Amino acid sequence: IGNKKIAWFQAVNYTDFGDMRMGNNYPSAYPNFGRRSKYIEHINGIDSVVVNADDRVQKFSGYKQWDITEKLLHKINEHITQALNIQFSNTTNVPRYDRLQDIRNFGGSIGTTLRFADWYYGPQKRFLSSYELNANRVGSIDEVKVNINYQTVEESRVTREYRRYDRLDSRVEKVNVFGATLSARRFFKQNEIAFGMDMQLNGLKSSATRTNITTGAKSNLDTRYPDGKNSMNNFAIFAQHTYKHTNKKFVLNDGLRLQAITLKSNVNDNSFFKLPDTAVNQKNLALTGNVGIVYNATKKTTFRVGVSSGFRAPNIDDLAKIFESSTTAKQVVLPNANLKPEYTYNIDIAIAQKLANVVNVEVSGYYTLFRNAIVKAPFTLNGQDSIFYNGVKSQVLASQNANKANVYGFSLSADATLIKGFNIASTLTYTEGYFITDASKVSKVFEKQANGTYSLVSKNVTRKPLDHIPPMIGKTSISYEHNKLLTSIFIMYNGWKKLNKFNADGEDNDQYATADGMPAWVTANWNGSYQINKQIQLQLAVENIFDRNYRYFASGFSAPGRNFIVALRANW
C-alpha cells in the first residue's frame, strides 16, 4: 500500500513441509540407494525400531516454518528517502534427516541398528531490523547510502542415541549481530567511483545441557563453541572505480579494500577436553584488490578478464568449534588456536560471441590459488590422535592451514532463438579443487642420479581433494512464448562424483553416497504459465517427470520424486 510519500509492505508466510518422498526410478546398479527402510519411534517410553510402510518416504524430514516481513518507505523530499525493514522467522523442530540414518554396532542382544533416536535442530529463530537512508545530489556526491542493522539468531542441536534415556543432549547457540555501512557514489565524465566503510560486530553465547528423560535430571555437557565470551568484529574501508570509454568498446573496473578483523574466544569450563588453549585473541589486517577489463572487440565479440585477491580470517567456527564430523568414520573436530587467515589470488577469463545473429555463445574459465588454505585434516590433542567422544573412540581432526591449494574450472553457455518465440539454452559447469598435504616436501628439486647427472624430480607430492567441490552440472531448456502463454521443457544433470574425489576428512559425507561415490543423474521437467487477464495468472509445473531417484553431491537427503505444482496469482 502506498502513496506519493509513504509506502508499506507486509508479508506473512506459513509453510508446512511434509516428509519428502524420493523418486522410484533407481540407478540400475544401486536399486536400494537411499531407501528409508526403518526408523526409530518412542513408543510407551521405549525406543523401538519400526519398519517403514513406504521406504521411499523419508520419515522425519518434514517441519513447519513461518516468516513475517514488514517494510516502511518514506520519501522525505525529491532527494532523500528512508526505509525501515523488520523480519522475523521461526520454525518447529527441524529433523537432521541424514544423521537419523546413521548406523552403530551396539553389540549384545541389541546388535547393529540405527544410532540416533533423536537428532533435530530446535526452533530456529531469527529477528532482523534495519534502517536505511538514501540521498542523492549531496554537495558534490551523487549518491549517499547509510544502513544500520541488528539481528539475533538462535539455533540449537538436540541429540539422543538409541535407548540412551539418560542422554538427551541439547546444545544452544545465540548470536547477536550489529552492522553499519556508509557508502557514496560519484560520477564524473566517463568515470564512476564508489567508496565507503562498513563494520560488523558479532557476539556468540554457547550453552549445553544433558537431560535424563526418565527422571528429568539435568547435568553439564560440553558446548559446541567455547562457553565463555566469544566475539568477532570486522571493520573495513573500500573504494571501487569504473571507467567506460565513450565508444563503449572498453570498460575498466578496479578497487581496493582494507579490512581489519578481531576475534576473542574464551573457554570457561575446560574439564571435558583439557584443551591446551582456553583463550584465543586474534587481530588480522589485509589489503585486497581487483582489476577487471571488458573489451568489446566488435558488436558480436566481447572479451573479459579479471584479476583479484581475497582474504578470509578464521572465524569462531573455524577456530573453536567441537563437533562430530562423521559418525560412521568416527571423527571429531576440535579447536586449533594457531589457525591463520587464508589468502586467494584469482584470475578469470571469458569470451562471448554472437553467431549468425541468432546464437550467443560464452566460454569462461577461472583459476584460484590459496595460500594458507583452511582445510580439515588429522590433528592431535595433548599428543593423542584420537579421543573418546559420545562414547566412541574417534579420530581427531581440526581446521589447519595448508600452504597450497587450488580451485579451477570452466563454464560453457549458449542460447539461440531460431524461430520467433522459440528459445534453446544450455549451460555446463565443471570445477576441480585440491590441496597439498605436506607442503614442506612439495617443491621440485635437482637430485643426483646413479650416473652422476642431476635430474629435476618431485619429492613426496601428495594431493588431496578439497571438500565442497561439486561434480559437473548443467541445464538445457527449450522454451516457447506467444501472447499470454509461456512454457518450457528443461533437463537438469549432474555428473559422477567418484569416491576418490571425496575429501575423507572434510564434509563430503561419503557415508551417504554409494560404494562408488555419488551417481550421475538427469531429470526432465516442464513448467508453464498463462496470463488469464491483467489480474490473474495460472502457473503449472511437473518436476522430475520420470520420477528419478537421486541425491545431490554431499547430501544425505534424497531429492523429491515426481511432483506437481499449481499456482494461481492475483494482483489488483
Side-chain angles (χ1 to χ4, degrees), residues 36 38-40 96-106 112-117 119 161-162 324-330 509-512 551 556:
R36 176 75 152 149
K38 297 179 181 179
Y39 60 89
I40 295 175
R96 179 70 187 264
Y97 176 79
D98 55 350
R99 292 297 173 91
L100 292 174
Q101 303 171 74
D102 289 349
I103 302 294
R104 173 175 284 183
N105 188 342
F106 288 84
T112 300
T113 189
L114 296 170
R115 177 181 176 184
F116 290 104
W119 209 130
E161 295 185 334
Y162 179 60
E324 198 169 32
S325 175
S326 172
T327 57
T328 54
K330 300 177 182 178
N509 295 325
D510 59 321
Q511 68 268 32
Y512 304 126
R551 282 184 175 180

mmCIF file of all heavy atoms in Angstrom, residues 36 38-40 96-106 112-117 119 161-162 324-330 509-512 551 556:
data_model
loop_
_atom_site.group_PDB
_atom_site.id
_atom_site.type_symbol
_atom_site.label_atom_id
_atom_site.label_comp_id
_atom_site.label_asym_id
_atom_site.label_seq_id
_atom_site.Cartn_x
_atom_site.Cartn_y
_atom_site.Cartn_z
ATOM 1 N N ARG A 36 14.574 -45.604 2.892
ATOM 2 C CA ARG A 36 14.388 -45.446 4.343
ATOM 3 C C ARG A 36 13.571 -46.649 4.827
ATOM 4 O O ARG A 36 12.347 -46.580 4.957
ATOM 5 C CB ARG A 36 13.669 -44.126 4.595
ATOM 6 C CG ARG A 36 13.315 -43.852 6.058
ATOM 7 C CD ARG A 36 14.513 -43.450 6.865
ATOM 8 N NE ARG A 36 14.125 -42.598 7.982
ATOM 9 C CZ ARG A 36 14.758 -42.562 9.133
ATOM 10 N NH1 ARG A 36 15.813 -43.324 9.325
ATOM 11 N NH2 ARG A 36 14.371 -41.742 10.085
ATOM 12 N N LYS A 38 13.814 -48.425 7.744
ATOM 13 C CA LYS A 38 13.455 -48.472 9.161
ATOM 14 C C LYS A 38 13.659 -47.103 9.797
ATOM 15 O O LYS A 38 14.440 -46.280 9.311
ATOM 16 C CB LYS A 38 14.308 -49.514 9.890
ATOM 17 C CG LYS A 38 14.099 -50.949 9.404
ATOM 18 C CD LYS A 38 15.006 -51.896 10.159
ATOM 19 C CE LYS A 38 14.826 -53.336 9.666
ATOM 20 N NZ LYS A 38 15.725 -54.279 10.382
ATOM 21 N N TYR A 39 12.985 -46.892 10.886
ATOM 22 C CA TYR A 39 13.193 -45.679 11.682
ATOM 23 C C TYR A 39 12.900 -45.999 13.138
ATOM 24 O O TYR A 39 12.343 -47.060 13.467
ATOM 25 C CB TYR A 39 12.316 -44.532 11.183
ATOM 26 C CG TYR A 39 10.818 -44.784 11.234
ATOM 27 C CD1 TYR A 39 10.074 -44.470 12.366
ATOM 28 C CD2 TYR A 39 10.155 -45.336 10.142
ATOM 29 C CE1 TYR A 39 8.704 -44.694 12.418
ATOM 30 C CE2 TYR A 39 8.794 -45.574 10.183
ATOM 31 C CZ TYR A 39 8.066 -45.250 11.319
ATOM 32 O OH TYR A 39 6.721 -45.487 11.371
ATOM 33 N N ILE A 40 13.314 -45.102 14.037
ATOM 34 C CA ILE A 40 13.118 -45.299 15.470
ATOM 35 C C ILE A 40 11.958 -44.435 15.950
ATOM 36 O O ILE A 40 11.878 -43.245 15.627
ATOM 37 C CB ILE A 40 14.400 -44.958 16.256
ATOM 38 C CG1 ILE A 40 15.519 -45.937 15.893
ATOM 39 C CG2 ILE A 40 14.142 -44.984 17.759
ATOM 40 C CD1 ILE A 40 16.853 -45.610 16.529
ATOM 41 N N ARG A 96 17.305 -33.594 11.651
ATOM 42 C CA ARG A 96 18.554 -33.767 10.900
ATOM 43 C C ARG A 96 18.463 -35.139 10.236
ATOM 44 O O ARG A 96 18.990 -36.132 10.733
ATOM 45 C CB ARG A 96 19.740 -33.660 11.844
ATOM 46 C CG ARG A 96 21.101 -33.843 11.183
ATOM 47 C CD ARG A 96 21.491 -32.704 10.270
ATOM 48 N NE ARG A 96 22.708 -33.029 9.556
ATOM 49 C CZ ARG A 96 23.947 -32.649 9.956
ATOM 50 N NH1 ARG A 96 24.094 -31.915 11.047
ATOM 51 N NH2 ARG A 96 25.007 -32.989 9.238
ATOM 52 N N TYR A 97 17.800 -35.175 9.076
ATOM 53 C CA TYR A 97 17.428 -36.442 8.463
ATOM 54 C C TYR A 97 18.639 -37.324 8.163
ATOM 55 O O TYR A 97 18.595 -38.532 8.367
ATOM 56 C CB TYR A 97 16.632 -36.193 7.177
ATOM 57 C CG TYR A 97 16.304 -37.467 6.438
ATOM 58 C CD1 TYR A 97 15.257 -38.274 6.863
ATOM 59 C CD2 TYR A 97 17.062 -37.871 5.342
ATOM 60 C CE1 TYR A 97 14.964 -39.454 6.217
ATOM 61 C CE2 TYR A 97 16.775 -39.057 4.684
ATOM 62 C CZ TYR A 97 15.725 -39.849 5.122
ATOM 63 O OH TYR A 97 15.450 -41.027 4.478
ATOM 64 N N ASP A 98 19.740 -36.719 7.690
ATOM 65 C CA ASP A 98 20.886 -37.556 7.325
ATOM 66 C C ASP A 98 21.427 -38.320 8.529
ATOM 67 O O ASP A 98 21.726 -39.508 8.454
ATOM 68 C CB ASP A 98 21.980 -36.722 6.651
ATOM 69 C CG ASP A 98 22.430 -35.542 7.492
ATOM 70 O OD1 ASP A 98 21.784 -35.238 8.520
ATOM 71 O OD2 ASP A 98 23.441 -34.909 7.130
ATOM 72 N N ARG A 99 21.531 -37.650 9.678
ATOM 73 C CA ARG A 99 22.063 -38.323 10.865
ATOM 74 C C ARG A 99 21.090 -39.382 11.414
ATOM 75 O O ARG A 99 21.502 -40.309 12.108
ATOM 76 C CB ARG A 99 22.399 -37.306 11.946
ATOM 77 C CG ARG A 99 23.585 -36.409 11.580
ATOM 78 C CD ARG A 99 24.847 -37.228 11.414
ATOM 79 N NE ARG A 99 25.974 -36.476 10.920
ATOM 80 C CZ ARG A 99 26.860 -35.852 11.676
ATOM 81 N NH1 ARG A 99 26.707 -35.841 12.985
ATOM 82 N NH2 ARG A 99 27.877 -35.220 11.125
ATOM 83 N N LEU A 100 19.828 -39.244 11.124
ATOM 84 C CA LEU A 100 18.860 -40.243 11.568
ATOM 85 C C LEU A 100 18.988 -41.552 10.791
ATOM 86 O O LEU A 100 18.340 -42.546 11.126
ATOM 87 C CB LEU A 100 17.432 -39.701 11.447
ATOM 88 C CG LEU A 100 17.071 -38.561 12.399
ATOM 89 C CD1 LEU A 100 15.690 -38.015 12.079
ATOM 90 C CD2 LEU A 100 17.138 -39.012 13.854
ATOM 91 N N GLN A 101 19.831 -41.569 9.758
ATOM 92 C CA GLN A 101 20.100 -42.803 9.012
ATOM 93 C C GLN A 101 21.349 -43.521 9.517
ATOM 94 O O GLN A 101 21.616 -44.651 9.103
ATOM 95 C CB GLN A 101 20.326 -42.474 7.529
ATOM 96 C CG GLN A 101 19.194 -41.736 6.859
ATOM 97 C CD GLN A 101 19.613 -41.281 5.477
ATOM 98 O OE1 GLN A 101 19.711 -42.062 4.548
ATOM 99 N NE2 GLN A 101 19.882 -39.983 5.347
ATOM 100 N N ASP A 102 22.134 -42.866 10.372
ATOM 101 C CA ASP A 102 23.415 -43.425 10.791
ATOM 102 C C ASP A 102 23.230 -44.725 11.560
ATOM 103 O O ASP A 102 22.284 -44.897 12.341
ATOM 104 C CB ASP A 102 24.181 -42.415 11.647
ATOM 105 C CG ASP A 102 24.689 -41.244 10.828
ATOM 106 O OD1 ASP A 102 24.633 -41.326 9.590
ATOM 107 O OD2 ASP A 102 25.140 -40.250 11.429
ATOM 108 N N ILE A 103 24.195 -45.638 11.352
ATOM 109 C CA ILE A 103 24.159 -46.966 11.959
ATOM 110 C C ILE A 103 25.282 -47.085 12.975
ATOM 111 O O ILE A 103 26.360 -46.537 12.803
ATOM 112 C CB ILE A 103 24.326 -48.059 10.879
ATOM 113 C CG1 ILE A 103 23.221 -47.943 9.823
ATOM 114 C CG2 ILE A 103 24.325 -49.449 11.500
ATOM 115 C CD1 ILE A 103 21.840 -48.240 10.338
ATOM 116 N N ARG A 104 25.028 -47.836 14.042
ATOM 117 C CA ARG A 104 26.088 -48.138 15.010
ATOM 118 C C ARG A 104 25.934 -49.578 15.485
ATOM 119 O O ARG A 104 24.822 -50.071 15.668
ATOM 120 C CB ARG A 104 26.040 -47.199 16.214
ATOM 121 C CG ARG A 104 27.034 -47.607 17.299
ATOM 122 C CD ARG A 104 27.082 -46.629 18.435
ATOM 123 N NE ARG A 104 27.815 -45.428 18.061
ATOM 124 C CZ ARG A 104 28.056 -44.421 18.906
ATOM 125 N NH1 ARG A 104 27.611 -44.457 20.141
ATOM 126 N NH2 ARG A 104 28.719 -43.362 18.510
ATOM 127 N N ASN A 105 27.078 -50.229 15.676
ATOM 128 C CA ASN A 105 27.100 -51.587 16.209
ATOM 129 C C ASN A 105 27.073 -51.496 17.732
ATOM 130 O O ASN A 105 28.063 -51.124 18.358
ATOM 131 C CB ASN A 105 28.345 -52.334 15.730
ATOM 132 C CG ASN A 105 28.301 -53.808 16.108
ATOM 133 O OD1 ASN A 105 27.555 -54.203 16.979
ATOM 134 N ND2 ASN A 105 29.123 -54.601 15.438
ATOM 135 N N PHE A 106 25.950 -51.852 18.327
ATOM 136 C CA PHE A 106 25.791 -51.732 19.772
ATOM 137 C C PHE A 106 26.198 -53.002 20.515
ATOM 138 O O PHE A 106 26.360 -52.998 21.723
ATOM 139 C CB PHE A 106 24.327 -51.391 20.104
ATOM 140 C CG PHE A 106 23.957 -49.995 19.731
ATOM 141 C CD1 PHE A 106 23.567 -49.694 18.446
ATOM 142 C CD2 PHE A 106 24.012 -48.966 20.657
ATOM 143 C CE1 PHE A 106 23.225 -48.402 18.089
ATOM 144 C CE2 PHE A 106 23.677 -47.675 20.312
ATOM 145 C CZ PHE A 106 23.277 -47.385 19.030
ATOM 146 N N THR A 112 23.340 -54.502 15.623
ATOM 147 C CA THR A 112 23.564 -53.331 14.770
ATOM 148 C C THR A 112 22.232 -52.694 14.409
ATOM 149 O O THR A 112 21.344 -53.372 13.892
ATOM 150 C CB THR A 112 24.307 -53.740 13.488
ATOM 151 O OG1 THR A 112 25.562 -54.314 13.864
ATOM 152 C CG2 THR A 112 24.559 -52.537 12.598
ATOM 153 N N THR A 113 22.076 -51.416 14.678
ATOM 154 C CA THR A 113 20.819 -50.759 14.371
ATOM 155 C C THR A 113 21.054 -49.270 14.164
ATOM 156 O O THR A 113 22.185 -48.793 14.175
ATOM 157 C CB THR A 113 19.795 -50.995 15.499
ATOM 158 O OG1 THR A 113 18.512 -50.522 15.086
ATOM 159 C CG2 THR A 113 20.213 -50.263 16.770
ATOM 160 N N LEU A 114 19.987 -48.531 13.949
ATOM 161 C CA LEU A 114 20.091 -47.079 13.801
ATOM 162 C C LEU A 114 20.675 -46.477 15.075
ATOM 163 O O LEU A 114 20.366 -46.928 16.190
ATOM 164 C CB LEU A 114 18.710 -46.488 13.510
ATOM 165 C CG LEU A 114 18.069 -46.919 12.189
ATOM 166 C CD1 LEU A 114 16.614 -46.460 12.133
ATOM 167 C CD2 LEU A 114 18.831 -46.358 11.006
ATOM 168 N N ARG A 115 21.504 -45.462 14.905
ATOM 169 C CA ARG A 115 22.207 -44.916 16.058
ATOM 170 C C ARG A 115 21.353 -43.939 16.862
ATOM 171 O O ARG A 115 21.313 -44.005 18.085
ATOM 172 C CB ARG A 115 23.488 -44.213 15.602
ATOM 173 C CG ARG A 115 24.224 -43.571 16.756
ATOM 174 C CD ARG A 115 25.482 -42.858 16.319
ATOM 175 N NE ARG A 115 26.103 -42.187 17.446
ATOM 176 C CZ ARG A 115 27.177 -41.426 17.372
ATOM 177 N NH1 ARG A 115 27.778 -41.264 16.210
ATOM 178 N NH2 ARG A 115 27.673 -40.842 18.452
ATOM 179 N N PHE A 116 20.680 -42.998 16.174
ATOM 180 C CA PHE A 116 20.019 -41.899 16.884
ATOM 181 C C PHE A 116 18.508 -42.086 16.951
ATOM 182 O O PHE A 116 17.843 -42.304 15.940
ATOM 183 C CB PHE A 116 20.316 -40.562 16.195
ATOM 184 C CG PHE A 116 21.744 -40.102 16.354
ATOM 185 C CD1 PHE A 116 22.637 -40.221 15.301
ATOM 186 C CD2 PHE A 116 22.184 -39.572 17.546
ATOM 187 C CE1 PHE A 116 23.943 -39.802 15.435
ATOM 188 C CE2 PHE A 116 23.494 -39.152 17.699
ATOM 189 C CZ PHE A 116 24.381 -39.268 16.641
ATOM 190 N N ALA A 117 17.988 -41.973 18.161
ATOM 191 C CA ALA A 117 16.538 -41.911 18.340
ATOM 192 C C ALA A 117 16.041 -40.488 18.123
ATOM 193 O O ALA A 117 14.913 -40.278 17.648
ATOM 194 C CB ALA A 117 16.164 -42.385 19.737
ATOM 195 N N TRP A 119 17.589 -36.583 16.642
ATOM 196 C CA TRP A 119 18.619 -35.662 16.143
ATOM 197 C C TRP A 119 17.872 -34.571 15.382
ATOM 198 O O TRP A 119 17.361 -34.788 14.291
ATOM 199 C CB TRP A 119 19.601 -36.358 15.205
ATOM 200 C CG TRP A 119 21.001 -35.788 15.180
ATOM 201 C CD1 TRP A 119 22.155 -36.492 15.312
ATOM 202 C CD2 TRP A 119 21.420 -34.425 14.993
ATOM 203 N NE1 TRP A 119 23.262 -35.665 15.240
ATOM 204 C CE2 TRP A 119 22.836 -34.386 15.052
ATOM 205 C CE3 TRP A 119 20.738 -33.205 14.812
ATOM 206 C CZ2 TRP A 119 23.571 -33.205 14.912
ATOM 207 C CZ3 TRP A 119 21.459 -32.037 14.683
ATOM 208 C CH2 TRP A 119 22.859 -32.043 14.731
ATOM 209 N N GLU A 161 20.906 -40.875 21.556
ATOM 210 C CA GLU A 161 21.154 -42.153 20.919
ATOM 211 C C GLU A 161 20.108 -43.187 21.327
ATOM 212 O O GLU A 161 19.415 -43.046 22.343
ATOM 213 C CB GLU A 161 22.565 -42.636 21.250
ATOM 214 C CG GLU A 161 23.641 -41.729 20.672
ATOM 215 C CD GLU A 161 25.038 -42.263 20.892
ATOM 216 O OE1 GLU A 161 25.242 -43.018 21.870
ATOM 217 O OE2 GLU A 161 25.926 -41.952 20.088
ATOM 218 N N TYR A 162 20.031 -44.227 20.527
ATOM 219 C CA TYR A 162 19.052 -45.292 20.711
ATOM 220 C C TYR A 162 19.123 -45.893 22.114
ATOM 221 O O TYR A 162 20.168 -46.352 22.567
ATOM 222 C CB TYR A 162 19.315 -46.360 19.650
ATOM 223 C CG TYR A 162 18.410 -47.565 19.689
ATOM 224 C CD1 TYR A 162 17.037 -47.438 19.542
ATOM 225 C CD2 TYR A 162 18.953 -48.836 19.855
ATOM 226 C CE1 TYR A 162 16.213 -48.555 19.549
ATOM 227 C CE2 TYR A 162 18.140 -49.964 19.871
ATOM 228 C CZ TYR A 162 16.772 -49.820 19.724
ATOM 229 O OH TYR A 162 15.967 -50.925 19.725
ATOM 230 N N GLU A 324 31.015 -33.623 15.916
ATOM 231 C CA GLU A 324 31.250 -34.927 15.326
ATOM 232 C C GLU A 324 31.135 -34.783 13.813
ATOM 233 O O GLU A 324 30.045 -34.620 13.270
ATOM 234 C CB GLU A 324 30.224 -35.925 15.859
ATOM 235 C CG GLU A 324 30.612 -37.358 15.672
ATOM 236 C CD GLU A 324 29.683 -38.286 16.447
ATOM 237 O OE1 GLU A 324 28.492 -37.943 16.604
ATOM 238 O OE2 GLU A 324 30.137 -39.337 16.902
ATOM 239 N N SER A 325 32.269 -34.828 13.120
ATOM 240 C CA SER A 325 32.288 -34.604 11.678
ATOM 241 C C SER A 325 31.619 -35.741 10.931
ATOM 242 O O SER A 325 30.869 -35.521 9.986
ATOM 243 C CB SER A 325 33.739 -34.450 11.199
ATOM 244 O OG SER A 325 33.794 -34.351 9.799
ATOM 245 N N SER A 326 31.902 -36.969 11.326
ATOM 246 C CA SER A 326 31.321 -38.137 10.672
ATOM 247 C C SER A 326 31.090 -39.210 11.713
ATOM 248 O O SER A 326 32.005 -39.599 12.423
ATOM 249 C CB SER A 326 32.238 -38.671 9.565
ATOM 250 O OG SER A 326 31.763 -39.910 9.068
ATOM 251 N N THR A 327 29.843 -39.672 11.809
ATOM 252 C CA THR A 327 29.536 -40.701 12.805
ATOM 253 C C THR A 327 29.991 -42.076 12.349
ATOM 254 O O THR A 327 30.341 -42.918 13.158
ATOM 255 C CB THR A 327 28.024 -40.726 13.083
ATOM 256 O OG1 THR A 327 27.331 -40.941 11.845
ATOM 257 C CG2 THR A 327 27.569 -39.430 13.693
ATOM 258 N N THR A 328 30.000 -42.308 11.035
ATOM 259 C CA THR A 328 30.417 -43.616 10.544
ATOM 260 C C THR A 328 31.934 -43.732 10.495
ATOM 261 O O THR A 328 32.499 -44.784 10.769
ATOM 262 C CB THR A 328 29.826 -43.886 9.155
ATOM 263 O OG1 THR A 328 30.166 -42.803 8.290
ATOM 264 C CG2 THR A 328 28.314 -43.989 9.232
ATOM 265 N N ALA A 329 32.622 -42.639 10.123
ATOM 266 C CA ALA A 329 34.087 -42.663 10.080
ATOM 267 C C ALA A 329 34.699 -42.441 11.461
ATOM 268 O O ALA A 329 35.907 -42.547 11.631
ATOM 269 C CB ALA A 329 34.598 -41.606 9.109
ATOM 270 N N LYS A 330 33.849 -42.098 12.454
ATOM 271 C CA LYS A 330 34.287 -41.884 13.831
ATOM 272 C C LYS A 330 35.349 -40.788 13.886
ATOM 273 O O LYS A 330 36.517 -41.024 14.224
ATOM 274 C CB LYS A 330 34.802 -43.192 14.437
ATOM 275 C CG LYS A 330 33.751 -44.297 14.473
ATOM 276 C CD LYS A 330 34.304 -45.597 15.009
ATOM 277 C CE LYS A 330 33.243 -46.700 14.975
ATOM 278 N NZ LYS A 330 33.766 -47.992 15.457
ATOM 279 N N ASN A 509 30.667 -36.188 3.091
ATOM 280 C CA ASN A 509 29.655 -37.159 3.510
ATOM 281 C C ASN A 509 29.593 -38.391 2.611
ATOM 282 O O ASN A 509 28.538 -38.742 2.071
ATOM 283 C CB ASN A 509 28.272 -36.485 3.570
ATOM 284 C CG ASN A 509 28.195 -35.415 4.637
ATOM 285 O OD1 ASN A 509 28.804 -35.544 5.697
ATOM 286 N ND2 ASN A 509 27.471 -34.348 4.367
ATOM 287 N N ASP A 510 30.729 -39.061 2.467
ATOM 288 C CA ASP A 510 30.750 -40.269 1.653
ATOM 289 C C ASP A 510 29.859 -41.369 2.231
ATOM 290 O O ASP A 510 29.446 -42.283 1.515
ATOM 291 C CB ASP A 510 32.191 -40.773 1.496
ATOM 292 C CG ASP A 510 32.842 -41.092 2.836
ATOM 293 O OD1 ASP A 510 32.612 -40.332 3.790
ATOM 294 O OD2 ASP A 510 33.567 -42.086 2.916
ATOM 295 N N GLN A 511 29.520 -41.296 3.524
ATOM 296 C CA GLN A 511 28.667 -42.317 4.133
ATOM 297 C C GLN A 511 27.251 -42.286 3.576
ATOM 298 O O GLN A 511 26.504 -43.255 3.735
ATOM 299 C CB GLN A 511 28.630 -42.167 5.655
ATOM 300 C CG GLN A 511 27.935 -40.911 6.178
ATOM 301 C CD GLN A 511 28.889 -39.749 6.387
ATOM 302 O OE1 GLN A 511 29.871 -39.623 5.657
ATOM 303 N NE2 GLN A 511 28.617 -38.929 7.383
ATOM 304 N N TYR A 512 26.880 -41.187 2.918
ATOM 305 C CA TYR A 512 25.530 -41.087 2.358
ATOM 306 C C TYR A 512 25.515 -41.275 0.846
ATOM 307 O O TYR A 512 24.500 -41.033 0.193
ATOM 308 C CB TYR A 512 24.907 -39.738 2.731
ATOM 309 C CG TYR A 512 24.892 -39.485 4.220
ATOM 310 C CD1 TYR A 512 25.446 -38.326 4.764
ATOM 311 C CD2 TYR A 512 24.350 -40.422 5.094
ATOM 312 C CE1 TYR A 512 25.449 -38.108 6.141
ATOM 313 C CE2 TYR A 512 24.354 -40.213 6.470
ATOM 314 C CZ TYR A 512 24.902 -39.059 6.981
ATOM 315 O OH TYR A 512 24.904 -38.859 8.344
ATOM 316 N N ARG A 551 20.465 -38.113 -5.514
ATOM 317 C CA ARG A 551 20.875 -37.197 -4.456
ATOM 318 C C ARG A 551 21.890 -36.226 -5.012
ATOM 319 O O ARG A 551 22.712 -36.591 -5.848
ATOM 320 C CB ARG A 551 21.519 -37.956 -3.280
ATOM 321 C CG ARG A 551 20.544 -38.642 -2.372
ATOM 322 C CD ARG A 551 21.226 -39.295 -1.187
ATOM 323 N NE ARG A 551 20.239 -39.853 -0.270
ATOM 324 C CZ ARG A 551 20.528 -40.481 0.858
ATOM 325 N NH1 ARG A 551 21.801 -40.629 1.210
ATOM 326 N NH2 ARG A 551 19.576 -40.942 1.636
ATOM 327 N N GLY A 556 22.801 -36.069 2.429
ATOM 328 C CA GLY A 556 22.267 -37.305 2.960
ATOM 329 C C GLY A 556 20.762 -37.359 2.807
ATOM 330 O O GLY A 556 20.077 -38.129 3.494
#
